[in-house]
Amino acid sequence: MIENSKLLIMPEQEVINSIQGGKISVCVIGLGRIGLPTAISFANAGLNTFGVDINSDLVNTINSKEFPLKDEPGYEFIFKNVIKEKKFRATTNLSEAVSKSDVILLSLPTPMNKDNIPDYSSIISVGNQLHDFICKGTMIIVESTVEPGFIENTFVKILEGEDHKFVSGKDFGLGVCPETANPGHINNDFENLPRLVGALDEKTKIIITKIYSHVFPVEIIPMKDCKTANAVKLVTNVFRDLNIAFINELAILFERVGIDISNVLEAAKTKYNFEVHYPGPGVGGPCLPVNSYQLINLAKTYGLETLQMVEIGRRINESMPEHVIELLKDAFKEKGQDIENSNILVLGVAYKPDIRDFKLSPAEPIILKLKDLKANISIYDPFFKNQLVFGINTESDFLSAISKSDAIIIVTAHKEFHGIDPEFLKSKMRSSIIIDSRKVINQDHAKKAGLIYRGIGCGKI
Ligand SMILES: NC(=O)c1ccc[n+]([C@@H]2O[C@H](COP(=O)([O-])OP(=O)(O)OC[C@H]3O[C@@H](n4cnc5c(N)ncnc54)[C@H](O)[C@@H]3O)[C@@H](O)[C@H]2O)c1
């Protein structure tokens, strides 16, 4: 740590020298999917880094040199190295880590509650603690996804407190660098995706830009203010949520018309200004659905009743699990079998391929609906073997899982599921129904093998 954490009041060249000389200390609060790789990157750039988390099991795992994010390729080696070099250490002691740091990064969760209202309680709780523990001159950078205006209207007031012990822009710097990395590709994204920086004052913006330029080999783009930077993050994700909703709605229409939407999308991609999105059983994860509701919440805060398109997009995407069940019912009807008491295997519970995360996964509403239909449900997911997921003990062996099933619902397109041979399924399954919500199995091959196949956006053949 530099003496009395003077970053905000140092001349620019001295700031640069301190960063490049590895003289500044960094504290990353929240060591999850984003925070841990972030902390490792800062440590790997030569900066003494503390990681703070309330989860003591996670802190112990990290300090015992075990890398918890096995599904993030490229990090394990760097992680082991920065721990060995003593550049990075995890702790549950926020006050100690904060008081020894010049730069504080917040990578805290910003989920929503059961009524889809954004929940900023972690960030607010940490903000209150920072008010008590930061030193004069500290830089505070919010990487978490928050609504535009949250920093300016709420968070700065929490940090300054009623006593105005420290004032933003004079005693500490406050800015944002919204995280846009994609789970499963974080190492790659940290090396390639430009970063946006906003701040409440110009000096802070310059300092944050210098720090990130030292750590990440990407373009660092200074934005006009925090709310503009936060708006970009929401716009890019809500754009995806909406486009997926559009394609999901078309997929349902094309099933009726007898058009395979994947043929349409392949051809549409040849047009230079068409950006392809694919249909699926719903949109999950900690980002897209939440970000749409953050934008809707923002609209309400600013006096609009809602954001109609975003609201409709959410409604369509949230209705897709029900559509999966409709496809299942249709297939059971063709087979002349009852869903009640049948054995149904859900293949994949993660919200996206090849990662270990089922936050807001469409698998959950699908499983709830199957429970209502009194089916016997099993789950196989290579990232969740022998674990309790959505109240069900997951299977550990693919072959024994398919062997006892009457129907399979493919929810996640994990690599392991690509290339599943329909003839093999037909020969091993107890009955022969496949609901493929991700186009993992070729429909013609499935038909030829004698499977009863339904796919989102595939007409019956
Ligand atoms: N996961 C993603 O795909 C992704 C991508 C871009 C941006 N983001 C955003 O980044 C932020 C972090 O997301 P994440 O996916 O890494 O979350 P996460 O749930 O994986 O990790 C959050 C961590 O913060 C810890 N934590 C919670 N409350 C705490 C507190 N009071 N003090 C200290 N630690 C606390 C938790 O124990 C957890 O380890 C969110 O705002 C999210 O929207 C996430």
Side-chain angles (χ1 to χ4, degrees), residues 368-419:
L368 284 176
K369 287 172 198 300
L370 290 173
K371 282 184 182 165
D372 288 345
L373 294 169
K374 300 189 172 60
N376 306 315
I377 310 155
S378 51
I379 294 172
Y380 175 79
D381 187 309
F383 290 85
F384 299 95
K385 290 184 181 178
N386 276 330
Q387 285 171 49
L388 197 63
V389 175
F390 304 138
I392 294 169
N393 280 312
T394 59
E395 304 285 321
S396 58
D397 181 65
F398 178 66
L399 182 58
S400 77
I402 59 168
S403 302
K404 56 188 177 201
S405 55
D406 295 305
I408 292 176
I409 303 179
I410 303 173
V411 175
T412 315
H414 287 310
K415 269 194 204 94
E416 186 174 318
F417 303 152
H418 287 279

Side-chain angles (χ1 to χ4, degrees), residues 266-309:
E266 275 312 296
K269 262 160 60 179
T270 61
K271 176 83 192 290
Y272 66 89
N273 56 1
F274 178 80
E275 188 159 329
V276 72
H277 289 77
Y278 295 100
V283 177
C287 289
L288 267 58
V290 180
N291 298 163
S292 284
Y293 282 113
Q294 285 173 317
L295 216 46
I296 290 169
N297 198 51
L298 181 70
K300 289 181 178 161
T301 307
Y302 281 83
L304 297 177
E305 237 169 73
T306 185
L307 276 188
Q308 293 181 58
M309 275 185 58

Side-chain angles (χ1 to χ4, degrees), residues 158-278:
I158 292 169
L159 294 174
E160 290 182 345
E162 281 175 11
D163 56 3
H164 284 74
K165 183 172 87 172
F166 290 145
V167 173
S168 156
K170 181 162 123 355
D171 305 309
F172 69 91
L174 176 59
V176 298
C177 184
E179 183 49 65
T180 53
N182 207 358
H185 303 266
I186 291 182
N187 192 16
N188 178 62
D189 288 353
F190 277 9
E191 306 242 311
N192 293 291
L193 282 182
R195 304 289 298 246
L196 311 179
V197 169
L200 291 195
D201 64 279
E202 277 308 306
K203 180 87 194 270
T204 297
K205 198 191 296 183
I206 292 168
I207 295 171
I208 298 176
T209 304
K210 301 281 176 220
I211 296 168
Y212 276 73
S213 301
H214 177 70
V215 176
F216 298 103
V218 299
E219 187 186 1
I220 311 294
I221 305 173
M223 301 297 292
K224 182 169 183 287
D225 45 32
C226 296
K227 64 184 175 191
T228 310
N230 289 132
V232 177
K233 160 77 195 189
L234 291 189
V235 168
T236 52
N237 275 356
V238 176
F239 172 84
R240 278 178 44 68
D241 198 27
L242 269 177
N243 276 286
I244 295 168
F246 170 57
I247 297 299
N248 275 337
E249 193 169 40
L250 288 183
I252 293 171
L253 168 66
F254 289 173
E255 278 168 26
R256 292 183 180 216
V257 184
I259 297 169
D260 186 334
I261 196 161
S262 56
N263 295 336
V264 175
L265 295 176
E266 275 312 296
K269 262 160 60 179
T270 61
K271 176 83 192 290
Y272 66 89
N273 56 1
F274 178 80
E275 188 159 329
V276 72
H277 289 77
Y278 295 100

Side-chain angles (χ1 to χ4, degrees), residues 28-37 52-56 58 69 91-92 94 106-111 120-123 125-126 129 143-146 178-184 186 233 237 285-287 290-291 294 351-352 355 357 359:
V28 178
I29 307 179
L31 296 175
R33 168 73 59 179
I34 296 295
L36 181 57
V52 175
D53 204 289
I54 39 168
N55 180 345
S56 55
L58 175 65
L69 295 173
T91 176
T92 53
L94 182 140
L106 304 190
S107 190
L108 291 155
T110 47
Y120 299 118
S121 54
S122 305
I123 216 162
S125 141
V126 166
Q129 295 174 67
E143 287 212 357
S144 299
T145 310
V146 293
E179 183 49 65
T180 53
N182 207 358
I186 291 182
K233 160 77 195 189
N237 275 356
C287 289
V290 180
N291 298 163
Q294 285 173 317
Y351 76 89
K352 61 175 276 192
I355 63 154
D357 190 347
K359 278 194 205 96

